[in-house]
């Protein structure tokens, strides 16, 4: 086949035409050079410039300069993280300057750090910022609940109790004895009480996670730092805003207990029956009897702000009224806040005054854990009240008390008044220097009262009325006594904190070098336990309750001792020097180094001072030449840090001191009262130290479509403070606080955000965060001089019926904190009796097996994965937000189900439906074992909010937003208890035992009005 041939000379004509066309195209292209600056005139580095028609792109330089070729009449698109995108039409100009406006939606790119602020893009440490619109919605009284699922690595667990704060653990437990909660800083005030801030007043929350970010707070930062910034006034006319909501809560989960017919059928199948004293023909739901049908809650926030050229102001008042689902539980709180800023001396000086006052009344369900326990075990065949209106009681059954009467005949109330005030002076000096003096004062007044009326005194004198404490390292039940003719307890205490912080900042840019240096001094004085407590009994009337102790007459009751409480006043002081250097070269190579020297009176006289250094490095790789033309990468930064922080929280004025008390002993065949040592002093007690290594990467991809960060960390705590029991021949009193042990946390965190769809009418924004942490106790050796260690400490002693001395958890080398350690269940023997595996591998069902020698590991309460997933959809003025969170891989010890499996007493105590296949003769089935260690994983559809924005053209109302929120829509779990979100704070995480305050589902309606 012949090929296609061109006429002679045609190829020369075509080549000439192609060259001519190319010259014409090039003639239409224009090379544009210029500089990109922000709205303050500063250069914007690494700007992405794209030609709209061809998608050809280039990246600007570190100094904001750029050069790009584009056809005349085309459009150049300038974009950079933190700025609004700008389009410029290519004209005849060859040199243009472009100004990018700050994107209001990205103001959070400036994060608050200790003693200053920093740009997120030049940050070299691990910090997560949460904006107000991303906080959890609802009638929420606790900041912990606002942050649930929003910050990778922040494990928050909460119950339905309106008076109990959420347990907050950041990157795993750092110590055994400390509270393990992060350290809060509000508007620069360290250690501020977070309950002084209403959710509507929050402008931003910055969570400092690695030691490079937290070491500047040294002695209090081992468990992380949470910086809270409140809203400030702005220049201009006064703006008034109102946000109000009302909600109704109902129980979302409950115990699976047998009802009347089920219990009778079970007993009949096992050849037994109820006594006539208990079978009154009722079918009572005792859990429902102690609950409200629906708990109402409301929240109202009114704020006003504004200002002139020199002064701005912001003020707000917040009212919260939140009923708990259990009878009598309730929180009523008012928060008032005012903030003033004033410029003076030609704007060289700025004075800031912030004052907030939180006044709350917490009504608790009296003896709450006892009430929950009694409601669970009470027989459904018995009524709440007898026909004559009196409470049904059967005192022939040991430890059996009507839970409704426990509530109705007692009070448990606490009033808190928290005042937080700060005055900040900031003076701008020559040479880029700024001097700050921060003064703050916090005072907490607590007034508490309990009253148990004559019904208690007359009916609950049994020696079998025990307390039901929460699981802890050292907890055991105690017999409760209610005196004669009612008993009252009244206490009033004050705690106060004074802070002085002064620091000098040097902020200077010299060519391509940027320097920010801080040096400062801090002084803090804490006074705690200033007050008193007393009790009385033998009241003439129950009418006054705890309001007037003078109406009682304890002298007329033989053997009654006044309860003066155990709180003792104390004073602690902290003195610190600190310094930090931030250095940047071309906004590309970043260095931060800090050191803090802390002194505290909490520790022994030989070790009161500690040093806490940190260093971090970051490399903004996107600004390197080899990545400038990689268009799908908008930003890429590598981070590495190492630092040490300390822990002084959870320890008081007398932790390192020798303590004496009154002691009775026999001398010459008679009891003699004397003063003796109960705790030895330790002059060598020193700081707990937590060292953290962190590697991270921050990225922005595909024209900022996907933004995220990945962090890997290794956190190690050494010198953990523990109270050791030792021989009194070595340690006076047989007890001493000392340093010992080592704990490790290793993990990885991922955060992703994206806006896959965004146009004029519709947008979809999604965020996902994942975190995995592995906790391990490395060793628990005690101080050598005391010849002690605490390895293999059995704790979380429940003391349930038939379980005296049984424990659930073990503190030991190589295991995570809270490791479950119990019997191994081996099914039933031929007679239907539960049996267990002994240490030697044999199986037994007699009492010889129920010893700690046969305990073995049964799983960890520490979750393997935490996640939060948020999706926000907006269509015109309508928006929908769905938030899902969960934890995976953790175990829960369902001790509640174990105690409700006591089938042997099913004729006098109700049992769980899960025990229906156990024989009545099985006396072992309630023994704590891995049978009751359950999978605690869950996925919770936590929040659904639908809102509509109404824009008004009015002289009085600027906008209205109406919204509806449903909290706790549904939970996916295999856990058999009330709810898998059990307490994860403290030293006894993951134990569910009669402290299962019911979780609730809330439906809420609200409105926001801007005037």
């Amino acid at each position: 086949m012949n090929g296609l041939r061109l006429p002679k000379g045609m190829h020369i004509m075509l080549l000439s035409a192609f060259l001519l066309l190319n010259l014409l195209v090039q003639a239409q292209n224009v090379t544009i050079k210029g500089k990109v600056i922000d709205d303050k005139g500063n250069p914007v580095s690494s700007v992405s410039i794209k030609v709209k028609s061809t998608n050809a792109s280039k990246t600007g330089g570190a100094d904001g300069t750029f050069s790009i070729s584009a056809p005349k009449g085309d459009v150049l698109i300038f974009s950079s993280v933190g700025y609004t995108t700008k389009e410029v039409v290519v004209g005849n100009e060859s040199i243009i300057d472009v100004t990018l406006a700050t994107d209001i939606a990205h103001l959070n790119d400036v994060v608050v750090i200790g003693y200053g602020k920093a740009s997120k893009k030049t940050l070299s440490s691990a910090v997560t910022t949460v904006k107000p619109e991303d906080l959890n919605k609802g009638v929420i009284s606790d900041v912990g609940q606002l942050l649930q699922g929003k910050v990778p690595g922040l494990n928050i667990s909460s119950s339905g109790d309106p008076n109990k704060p959420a347990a907050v653990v950041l990157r795993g437990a750092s110590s055994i004895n400390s509270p393990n909660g992060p350290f809060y800083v509000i508007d620069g005030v360290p250690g501020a009480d977070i309950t002084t801030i209403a959710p509507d007043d929050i402008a931003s929350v910055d969570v400092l996670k690695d030691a490079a970010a937290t070491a500047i707070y040294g002695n209090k930062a081992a468990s992380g730092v949470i910086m809270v910034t409140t809203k400030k006034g702005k220049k201009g006319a006064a703006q008034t805003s109102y946000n109000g909501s009302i909600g109704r809560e109902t129980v979302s989960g409950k115990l699976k207990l047998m009802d009347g017919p089920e219990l009778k059928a079970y007993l009949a199948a096992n050849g037994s029956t109820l006594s006539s004293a208990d079978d009154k023909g009722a079918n009572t739901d005792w859990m429902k009897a102690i609950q409200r049908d629906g708990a109402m809650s409301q929240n109202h926030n009114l704020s006003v702000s504004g200002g002139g050229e020199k002064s701005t102001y912001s003020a707000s008042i917040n009212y919260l009224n939140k009923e708990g689902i259990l009878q009598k539980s309730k929180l009523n709180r008012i928060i008032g806040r005012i903030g003033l800023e004033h410029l003076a001396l030609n704007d060289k000086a700025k004075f800031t005054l912030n004052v907030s006052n939180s006044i709350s009344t917490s009504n608790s369900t009296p003896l709450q854990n006892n009430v929950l326990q009694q409601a669970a075990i009470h027989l459904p065949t018995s009524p709440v009240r007898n026909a004559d209106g009196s409470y049904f009681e059967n005192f022939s059954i040991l430890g059996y008390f009507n839970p409704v009467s426990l509530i109705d005949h007692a009070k448990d109330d606490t009033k808190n008044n928290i005042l937080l005030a700060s005055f900040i002076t900031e003076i701008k000096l020559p040479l880029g220097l700024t001097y700050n003096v921060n003064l703050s004062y916090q005072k907490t007044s607590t007034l508490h009262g309990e009253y148990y009326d004559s019904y208690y005194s007359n009916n609950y004198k049994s020696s079998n009325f025990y307390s039901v404490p929460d699981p802890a390292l050292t907890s055991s039940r105690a017999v409760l006594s209610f005196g004669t003719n009612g008993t009252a307890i009244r206490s009033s205490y004050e705690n106060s904190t004074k802070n002085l912080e002064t620091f000098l900042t040097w902020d200077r840019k010299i060519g391509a070098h940027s320097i920010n240096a801080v040096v400062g001094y801090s002084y803090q004085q804490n006074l705690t336990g200033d007050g008193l407590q007393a009790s009385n009994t033998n009241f003439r009337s129950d009418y006054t309750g705890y309001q007037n102790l003078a109406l009682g007459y304890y002298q007329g009751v033989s053997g009654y001792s006044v309860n003066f409480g155990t709180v003792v006043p104390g004073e602690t002081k902290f003195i610190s020097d600190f310094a930090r250097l931030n250095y940047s070269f071309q906004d590309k190579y970043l260095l931060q180094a800090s050191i803090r020297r802390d002194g505290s009176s909490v520790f022994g006289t030989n070790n009161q001072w500690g040093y806490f250094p940190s260093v971090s490095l970051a490399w903004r790789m996107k600004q390197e030449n080899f990545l400038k033309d990689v268009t799908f990468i908008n930003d890429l930064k590598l981070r590495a840090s190492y630092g040490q922080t300390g822990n002084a929280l959870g320890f008081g004025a007398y932790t390192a001191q020798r303590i004496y008390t009154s002691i009775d002993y026999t001398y010459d065949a008679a009891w003699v009262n004397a003063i003796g040592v109960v705790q030895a002093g330790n002059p060598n007690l020193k700081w707990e130290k937590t060292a953290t290594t962190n590697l991270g990467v921050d990225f922005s991809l595909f024209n900022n479509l996907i933004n995220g960060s990945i962090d890997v960390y290794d956190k190690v705590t050494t010198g953990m403070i523990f109270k050791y029991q030792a021989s009194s021949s070595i340690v006076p009193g047989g007890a001493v606080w000392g340093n010992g042990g080592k704990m490790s946390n290793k993990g990885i965190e991922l955060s992703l955000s994206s806006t896959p769809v965004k146009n004029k009418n519709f947008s979809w924004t999604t965020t996902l965060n994942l975190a995995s942490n592995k906790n391990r106790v490395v060793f628990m050796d005690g101080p050598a001089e005391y010849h002690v260690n605490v390895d293999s400490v059995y704790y979380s002693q429940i003391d349930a019926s038939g379980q005296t001395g049984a424990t659930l958890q073990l503190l030991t080398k190589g295991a995570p904190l809270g490791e479950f350690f119990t019997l191994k269940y081996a099914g039933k023997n031929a007679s239907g009796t539960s049996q267990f595996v002994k240490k030697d591998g044999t199986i037994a069902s007699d009492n010889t097996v129920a010893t700690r020698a046969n305990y073995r590991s049964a799983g960890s309460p520490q979750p393997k994965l935490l996640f939060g997933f948020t999706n926000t959809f907006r269509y015109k003025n309508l928006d929908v937000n769905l938030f899902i969170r969960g934890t995976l891989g953790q175990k829960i010890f369902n001790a509640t189900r174990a105690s409700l499996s006591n089938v042997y007493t099913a004729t006098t105590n109700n049992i769980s439906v899960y025990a229906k296949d156990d024989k009545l003769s099985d006396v072992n089935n309630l023994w704590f074992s891995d049978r009751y260690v359950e999978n605690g994983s869950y996925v919770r559809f936590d929040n659904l909010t639908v809102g509509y924005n109404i824009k008004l053209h009015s002289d009085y109302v600027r906008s209205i937003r109406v919204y509806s929120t449903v909290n706790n829509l549904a939970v996916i779990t295999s856990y058999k208890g009330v709810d898998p979100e059990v307490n994860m704070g403290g030293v006894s995480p993951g134990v569910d035992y009669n402290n299962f305050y019911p979780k609730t589902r809330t439906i809420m309606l609200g409105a926001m009005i801007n005037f």
Side-chain angles (χ1 to χ4, degrees):
M1 181 176 181
N2 292 329
L4 177 64
R5 293 180 179 273
L6 294 174
K8 187 176 182 180
M10 181 61 72
H11 60 285
I12 296 176
M13 295 176 63
L14 288 174
L15 179 60
S16 299
F18 175 77
L19 292 173
L20 179 62
L21 181 62
N22 187 49
L23 289 172
L24 289 172
V25 170
Q26 287 189 4
Q28 296 297 316
N29 275 358
V30 178
T31 298
I32 303 101
K33 297 181 179 180
K35 189 174 185 179
V36 182
I37 58 175
D38 62 18
D39 41 18
K40 294 182 180 180
N42 299 315
V44 180
S45 63
S46 303
V47 175
S48 173
I49 308 108
K50 185 170 68 174
V51 181
K52 195 169 189 178
S53 65
T54 64
N55 283 329
S57 64
K58 283 196 173 184
T59 301
D63 58 355
T65 58
F66 69 93
S67 176
I68 190 170
S69 296
K72 186 181 294 185
D74 211 328
V75 176
L76 297 180
I77 303 173
F78 294 81
S79 62
S80 182
V81 176
Y83 299 91
T84 56
T85 300
K86 187 168 186 177
E87 296 186 356
V88 177
V89 177
V90 178
N92 295 321
E93 300 88 351
S94 59
I95 299 176
I96 60 173
D97 289 332
V98 178
T99 301
L100 296 183
T102 301
D103 188 351
I104 300 300
H106 287 84
L107 284 178
N108 66 306
D109 287 345
V110 175
V111 299
V112 178
I113 57 176
Y115 309 105
K117 297 180 179 179
S119 168
K120 195 168 185 178
K121 67 180 181 180
T122 59
L123 202 64
S124 57
S125 54
V127 179
T128 297
T129 300
V130 183
K131 298 178 289 184
E133 58 267 28
D134 295 328
L135 296 171
N136 289 321
K137 309 298 188 296
V139 183
I140 295 175
S141 59
D142 180 67
V143 168
Q145 296 177 49
L146 292 174
L147 294 172
Q148 267 186 310
K150 300 297 183 179
V151 179
L154 198 62
N155 187 3
I156 300 175
S157 54
S158 62
S159 71
D161 190 345
N163 298 309
K164 186 176 182 179
V168 182
V169 180
L170 179 62
R171 289 186 166 184
S174 297
S175 181
I176 294 174
N177 281 285
S178 73
N180 287 327
F183 183 66
Y184 289 96
V185 179
I186 300 176
D187 290 331
V189 179
D193 193 313
I194 197 62
T195 61
T196 60
I197 300 299
D200 281 304
D201 289 336
I202 295 176
S204 69
V205 178
D206 296 288
V207 182
L208 316 186
K209 297 193 289 188
D210 68 347
T214 62
I216 196 70
Y217 284 107
N219 56 47
K220 305 176 184 71
S223 297
V225 178
I226 296 181
M227 314 284 292
V228 179
T229 304
T230 61
K231 295 177 180 177
K232 303 295 188 292
K234 298 179 181 179
K235 296 178 182 179
Q239 296 186 359
T240 303
S241 298
Y242 166 79
N243 185 13
S245 60
I246 185 170
R248 185 176 187 271
E249 299 182 27
T250 56
V251 172
S252 60
K254 61 180 183 178
L255 287 175
K256 301 297 190 296
L257 300 168
M258 287 190 178
D259 60 21
E262 288 174 332
L263 181 60
K264 288 181 180 180
Y266 170 80
L267 292 173
N270 284 270
S272 186
T273 185
L274 295 167
S275 71
S276 58
D278 294 308
D279 188 359
K280 300 297 185 181
N283 190 18
T284 303
D285 184 341
W286 285 96
M287 295 304 299
K288 188 175 182 180
I290 64 172
Q291 298 169 357
R292 293 184 170 101
D293 292 334
M296 300 301 297
S297 57
Q298 56 179 311
N299 185 70
H300 305 277
N301 196 90
L302 182 65
S303 63
V304 59
S305 63
E309 288 298 318
K310 299 295 183 180
S311 301
T312 59
Y313 62 90
S314 173
S316 68
I317 186 166
N318 177 267
Y319 173 71
L320 171 73
N321 189 303
K322 185 177 177 65
E323 290 183 338
I325 200 66
L326 290 185
Q327 295 282 355
K328 284 194 176 180
S329 62
K330 183 179 180 180
L331 173 63
N332 191 298
R333 187 177 69 193
I334 296 176
I335 300 176
R337 184 183 68 88
I338 187 168
L340 303 173
E341 288 189 354
H342 179 70
L343 296 175
L345 304 177
N346 293 324
D347 297 347
K348 298 295 184 182
K350 182 171 73 171
F351 303 100
T352 303
L353 174 67
N354 291 308
V355 180
S356 64
N357 192 198
S358 172
I359 301 174
S360 64
T361 299
S362 301
N363 307 120
S364 299
T365 301
L367 298 175
Q368 180 174 292
N369 286 1
N370 292 79
V371 168
L372 290 167
Q373 180 191 58
Q374 292 295 323
I377 67 173
H378 254 61
L379 294 171
T381 55
S382 304
V384 175
R385 293 178 182 269
N386 299 312
D388 61 1
S390 61
Y391 293 97
F392 173 85
E393 302 275 12
N394 186 349
F395 296 119
S396 65
I397 304 175
L398 296 179
Y400 195 74
F401 314 105
N402 189 316
V404 178
S405 70
L406 293 180
I407 297 174
D408 291 347
H409 289 284
K411 295 180 180 179
D412 186 341
D413 305 324
T414 303
K415 294 182 179 180
N416 287 301
N417 190 326
I418 306 172
L419 173 67
L420 177 64
S422 65
F423 185 75
I424 301 172
T425 301
E426 180 179 288
I427 301 176
K428 294 181 180 179
L429 302 173
L431 306 176
L433 294 171
T434 303
Y435 181 62
N436 284 72
V437 179
N438 299 355
L439 299 171
S440 66
Y441 176 74
Q442 180 172 284
K443 178 181 178 181
T444 301
S445 302
T446 302
L447 180 64
H448 177 73
E450 297 177 40
Y451 187 72
Y452 305 93
D453 69 19
S454 54
Y455 187 92
Y456 271 78
S457 301
N458 297 335
N459 296 283
Y460 300 146
K461 289 188 174 181
S462 168
S463 60
N464 288 286
F465 199 114
Y466 289 94
S467 63
V468 183
D470 288 338
L473 189 63
T474 55
S475 64
S476 59
R477 61 179 184 170
V479 175
L480 300 180
S481 175
F482 303 104
T484 300
N485 297 325
T487 187
I489 301 172
R490 192 73 158 156
S491 65
S492 177
Y493 291 102
E494 285 186 356
N495 299 328
S496 65
T497 299
K498 298 176 182 177
N499 279 298
L500 163 65
E501 295 191 310
T502 177
F503 55 95
L504 185 69
T505 304
W506 184 47
D507 195 353
R508 197 66 179 252
K509 189 173 180 65
I510 306 172
H513 306 273
S514 297
I515 301 172
N516 180 280
V518 177
V519 60
Y521 168 84
S522 175
Y523 173 87
Q524 183 180 93
Q525 179 193 50
N526 303 303
L527 299 176
T528 60
D530 183 12
L532 53 87
Q533 175 177 303
S535 68
N536 207 347
T537 190
N538 200 14
F539 290 86
R540 295 182 180 181
S541 169
D542 290 325
Y543 178 75
T544 56
Y546 54 70
Q547 299 290 347
N548 192 342
L549 293 188
L551 296 180
Y553 184 64
Y554 74 88
Q555 296 91 335
V557 179
S558 176
Y560 184 86
S561 297
V562 176
N563 182 356
F564 290 111
T566 58
V567 177
V568 293
E571 178 183 7
T572 58
K573 293 181 180 180
F574 295 88
I575 299 176
S576 309
D577 306 302
F578 55 88
R580 182 181 62 219
L581 171 68
N582 286 85
Y583 170 75
S584 168
F585 178 67
Q586 294 183 343
D587 279 344
K588 185 191 303 184
Y589 309 109
L590 313 171
L591 165 69
Q592 176 180 293
S594 72
I595 188 168
R596 182 167 178 130
R597 176 178 179 262
D598 275 321
S600 173
S601 61
V602 168
F603 303 106
T605 53
N606 297 335
N607 287 298
Q608 291 187 329
W609 292 92
Y611 293 84
F612 305 100
S614 76
V615 62
S616 62
L617 301 168
W619 176 25
R620 297 189 66 201
M621 295 180 63
K622 174 58 181 175
Q623 293 196 316
E624 298 292 353
N625 291 329
F626 61 82
L627 282 181
K628 280 191 175 182
D629 294 328
V630 181
T631 58
F632 75 91
I633 298 177
N634 302 103
D635 199 8
L636 183 62
K637 179 174 64 176
L638 300 182
R639 295 179 280 105
S641 69
Y642 173 81
Q644 293 182 348
T645 53
N647 176 46
L649 299 177
F651 310 110
Y654 309 107
T655 301
Q657 308 301 317
R658 176 176 290 191
I659 298 177
Y660 296 84
T661 191
S662 175
I663 297 177
D664 292 328
Y665 70 100
T666 57
Y667 176 76
D668 196 18
W671 282 103
V672 178
N673 183 267
I675 299 297
V677 178
V678 292
Q679 175 185 297
N682 183 1
N684 296 316
L685 187 70
K686 60 184 179 180
W687 301 81
E688 292 184 342
K689 284 194 175 183
T690 300
T692 303
T693 302
N694 194 99
L695 300 175
V697 56
D698 302 323
F699 54 87
S700 181
L701 308 174
F702 307 113
N703 199 25
N704 302 318
L705 177 65
I706 299 175
N707 301 282
S709 64
I710 301 173
D711 281 275
V712 179
Y713 62 87
D714 184 357
K715 184 172 74 168
V716 178
T717 302
T718 55
M720 291 188 294
I721 299 176
F722 196 85
K723 191 172 186 179
Y724 295 91
Q725 304 299 317
S727 171
S728 57
S729 62
I730 300 175
V731 176
V736 64
W737 289 91
N739 297 96
K742 182 178 180 180
M743 184 177 291
S744 167
N745 288 278
K746 296 180 179 181
I748 183 171
E749 300 166 350
L750 169 67
S751 178
L752 294 172
S753 64
S754 177
T755 303
V757 181
K758 185 176 182 180
N759 55 45
K760 181 180 180 181
N761 293 324
F762 179 78
S763 68
W764 168 34
T765 301
T766 182
T767 62
L768 172 68
N769 68 76
L770 303 169
S772 178
N773 181 78
K774 184 177 181 180
N775 172 271
R776 184 170 65 95
V777 176
V778 180
F779 62 82
M780 283 301 300
D781 297 338
E785 62 266 32
Y786 301 129
H787 304 286
V788 295
N789 67 68
V790 291
D791 193 28
S792 298
V793 173
Y794 296 85
Y795 67 102
S796 294
Q797 183 170 318
I798 297 298
D799 286 336
S801 175
Q803 309 268 13
T804 302
T807 56
L808 308 182
Q809 294 173 297
L810 181 70
L811 187 65
T812 188
K813 175 181 177 180
L817 182 67
E819 175 80 357
F820 298 127
F821 212 71
T822 187
L823 295 173
K824 182 174 179 58
Y825 180 65
K828 313 285 187 182
N829 62 18
S831 62
T833 301
S834 296
Q835 51 190 2
F836 306 88
V837 180
K838 299 184 75 172
K839 184 177 181 180
D840 60 7
T842 60
I843 295 175
S845 59
D846 56 15
N847 289 335
T848 61
V849 74
T851 65
R852 292 176 179 174
N854 295 315
Y855 286 5
R856 60 186 64 201
S857 177
S860 169
Q862 304 292 341
K864 295 180 180 178
L865 180 69
L866 304 170
F867 72 89
F869 184 40
T870 304
N871 286 278
T872 302
F873 306 91
R874 290 185 173 88
Y875 177 71
K876 294 185 177 179
N877 294 326
L878 178 71
D879 59 85
V880 178
N881 179 276
L882 176 64
F883 174 53
I884 302 170
R885 64 179 174 88
T887 65
L888 304 175
Q890 75 275 21
K891 299 293 185 181
I892 298 175
F893 206 123
N894 194 344
T896 301
R897 183 165 73 90
S899 64
L900 291 174
S901 297
N902 192 0
V903 293
Y904 189 70
T905 61
T907 57
T908 56
N909 287 251
N910 198 11
I911 59 176
S912 168
V913 296
Y914 297 113
K916 61 183 174 59
D917 296 327
D918 292 349
K919 288 188 176 182
L920 191 66
S921 59
D922 188 357
V923 296
N924 298 345
N925 75 324
L926 78 161
W927 287 1
F928 294 139
S929 70
D930 60 356
R931 178 185 184 186
Y932 301 108
V933 177
E934 302 181 26
N935 181 5
S937 302
Y938 68 88
V939 176
R940 190 184 303 280
F941 292 79
D942 199 49
N943 187 286
L944 175 64
T945 297
V946 179
Y948 188 79
N949 298 289
I950 305 171
K951 295 183 179 179
L952 302 175
H953 301 285
S954 167
D955 294 334
Y956 304 102
V957 180
R958 292 184 292 123
S959 64
I960 297 176
R961 170 178 167 80
V962 293
Y963 57 92
S964 177
T965 295
V966 181
N967 291 118
N968 192 19
L969 286 82
V971 60
I972 301 172
T973 183
S974 62
Y975 182 60
K976 297 175 181 177
V978 172
D979 193 277
E981 192 175 316
V982 300
N983 180 53
M984 291 302 298
V987 73
S988 300
V991 177
D992 181 346
Y993 181 67
N994 291 326
N995 54 353
F996 48 86
Y997 195 107
K999 291 283 283 188
T1000 58
R1001 179 171 297 111
T1002 306
I1003 300 177
M1004 185 186 74
L1005 297 174
M1008 297 176 63
I1009 306 174
N1010 295 313
F1011 299 95

